[in-house]
Amino acid sequence: MSKKKMQKKSKNGLGWLLLGIMVVFIGLIFIPKNKTENISFPDLHGLSFSSDGSKLVAAVHDGLREYNDGKWTTPDGEKNDYMGYSPIKNGFYSSGHPGPTSSLKNPLGIVKSQDNGKTIDVVDLHGEVDFHSLTVGYETEDLYVYTPEPNSKMKEAGFYYSKDKAKSWNEMALNGLTGNPRTFIAHPTQKGVVVIGTDKGLYLSNDYGESFQLLSDDIIASTGTISSQDELIVGQNTDEKKIIKIGLNNKEVKNVDLPKNIDGNIMYITNNYNNPDEIAIATDQINVYVSKNNGADWESIVNLGKGINQE
């Protein structure tokens, strides 16, 4: 082969190589970006399962995050700072602060969404109170709040309830309750039934907090929920970290195995209303774990504020 032909063949080979590199580069630019990549959690203000049980929903400083089929996404909707986030059968109630583009007043008071945060309806005390302690009956929609200071509907600081979706409020008498409250849990289906956990134990009321009876004086709960099976599920962060189930009817106490190498104190617990075996927990280190078999196995799905997507 002549030197001229060799040079021509070399140039052709180089041209094809450069063309191939350009095709790969252009392909990388125009590959659709997966919406589930790099989902972050600036903080965490609540957990729930969606009404159909298919998704885990996390309330954070700038709206919501959803976990479904091993992937985290950021759903469309208002980017409000949700505090006191509490799920109901067809949506959620919350308090907190409006997002930067929201037309809502600050603080939110009590708001409600029936479409997973796409639209927000004002319920009460809009622009007056940020309720960090708010719990709502999943089906009853009984509302229970703690107000840190007086407002236009609540004449002094304390615990209040509403039977009529915030049209009227009554102060809870709290007879029989002792200690400093740490968690506040509404029964999903039974009106007037609420649990308060204090540093002296767990207390149950059947009359909207007029009176309380002691459930346990050796369980100091930091958070909790009540399942569709009438089981109280609480997290404890004292000398020994625990997840505990208590039957509200038979008072049976069972321990739930924790995730291995759990990092941080348990801050939120939620139970899938459609599947009582499915539990999710979150810690103050912004770690989230989910179990589909009552704690026999756990999956880490958020680590130090970063969503983990399953391959």
Side-chain angles (χ1 to χ4, degrees):
M1 183 180 295
S2 69
K3 184 176 181 181
K4 188 174 182 181
K5 287 183 179 180
M6 287 177 65
Q7 289 175 339
K8 184 177 181 181
K9 186 173 181 180
S10 176
K11 288 180 180 178
N12 286 342
L14 181 60
W16 282 110
L17 177 62
L18 291 173
L19 180 60
I21 292 172
M22 288 178 65
V23 169
V24 171
F25 180 71
I26 292 170
L28 289 172
I29 292 175
F30 289 101
I31 288 174
K33 295 295 184 290
N34 191 334
K35 191 181 178 183
T36 65
E37 291 179 355
N38 302 319
I39 297 294
S40 63
F41 296 73
D43 51 20
L44 200 55
H45 296 158
L47 280 179
S48 72
F49 285 92
S50 58
S51 298
D52 63 2
S54 66
K55 300 174 183 177
L56 181 65
V57 182
V60 297
H61 181 74
D62 56 353
L64 302 175
R65 308 284 188 268
E66 290 182 347
Y67 186 77
N68 186 31
D69 289 333
K71 302 292 183 183
W72 281 105
T73 59
T74 302
D76 295 332
E78 294 216 16
K79 308 304 180 186
N80 300 317
D81 181 9
Y82 291 118
M83 304 294 293
Y85 173 86
S86 189
I88 56 173
K89 191 171 184 178
N90 63 346
F92 66 85
Y93 282 84
S94 191
S95 191
H97 305 278
T101 62
S102 175
S103 60
L104 295 170
K105 294 179 182 179
N106 186 25
L108 294 178
I110 299 174
V111 295
K112 178 181 179 181
S113 179
Q114 298 182 78
D115 55 11
N116 203 33
K118 291 180 181 177
T119 58
I120 300 294
D121 298 319
V122 171
V123 177
D124 200 12
L125 295 166
H126 192 47
E128 291 192 52
V129 190
D130 175 17
F131 291 107
H132 286 209
S133 295
L134 182 156
T135 184
V136 186
Y138 187 77
E139 291 190 5
T140 66
E141 293 191 43
D142 279 347
L143 285 157
Y144 303 86
V145 301
Y146 173 79
T147 182
E149 57 189 20
N151 57 64
S152 63
K153 298 286 185 71
M154 303 164 187
K155 299 309 178 186
E156 58 185 14
F159 288 91
Y160 290 78
Y161 69 89
S162 176
K163 301 178 183 181
D164 52 16
K165 300 180 182 179
K167 293 182 178 67
S168 63
W169 292 95
N170 298 281
E171 190 170 5
M172 298 166 67
L174 306 178
N175 293 313
L177 185 77
T178 62
N180 297 313
R182 295 188 173 192
T183 190
F184 198 23
I185 309 158
H187 196 287
T189 60
Q190 296 181 29
K191 295 185 73 65
V193 178
V194 61
V195 172
I196 294 182
T198 78
D199 58 357
K200 301 296 184 182
L202 284 169
Y203 295 83
L204 172 68
S205 174
N206 294 304
D207 54 11
Y208 287 100
E210 180 69 20
S211 61
F212 282 86
Q213 64 186 45
L214 182 66
L215 276 177
S216 171
D217 60 2
D218 60 358
I219 298 174
I220 309 303
S222 59
T223 185
T225 189
I226 298 175
S227 76
S228 58
Q229 305 298 300
D230 228 25
E231 284 187 312
L232 176 64
I233 309 170
V234 297
Q236 177 173 281
N237 295 306
T238 52
D239 294 339
E240 185 179 359
K241 211 183 313 290
K242 290 181 180 180
I243 300 174
I244 304 160
K245 285 188 175 185
I246 306 168
L248 290 181
N249 295 321
N250 58 19
K251 305 302 186 290
E252 181 183 356
V253 177
K254 297 179 288 187
N255 286 334
V256 176
D257 289 338
L258 289 168
K260 293 179 180 178
N261 302 318
I262 184 172
D263 185 16
N265 289 320
I266 302 167
M267 296 300 292
Y268 299 102
I269 291 181
T270 190
N271 183 234
N272 192 333
Y273 200 73
N274 298 275
N275 177 11
D277 291 340
E278 190 167 11
I279 305 169
I281 65 173
T283 75
D284 58 2
Q285 298 300 308
I286 317 183
N287 298 305
V288 180
Y289 310 86
V290 64
S291 173
K292 294 184 178 181
N293 52 13
N294 270 313
D297 301 287
W298 290 92
E299 180 183 1
S300 173
I301 58 175
V302 177
N303 182 49
L304 299 177
K306 298 295 183 183
I308 300 172
N309 292 320
Q310 307 304 314
E311 297 299 332

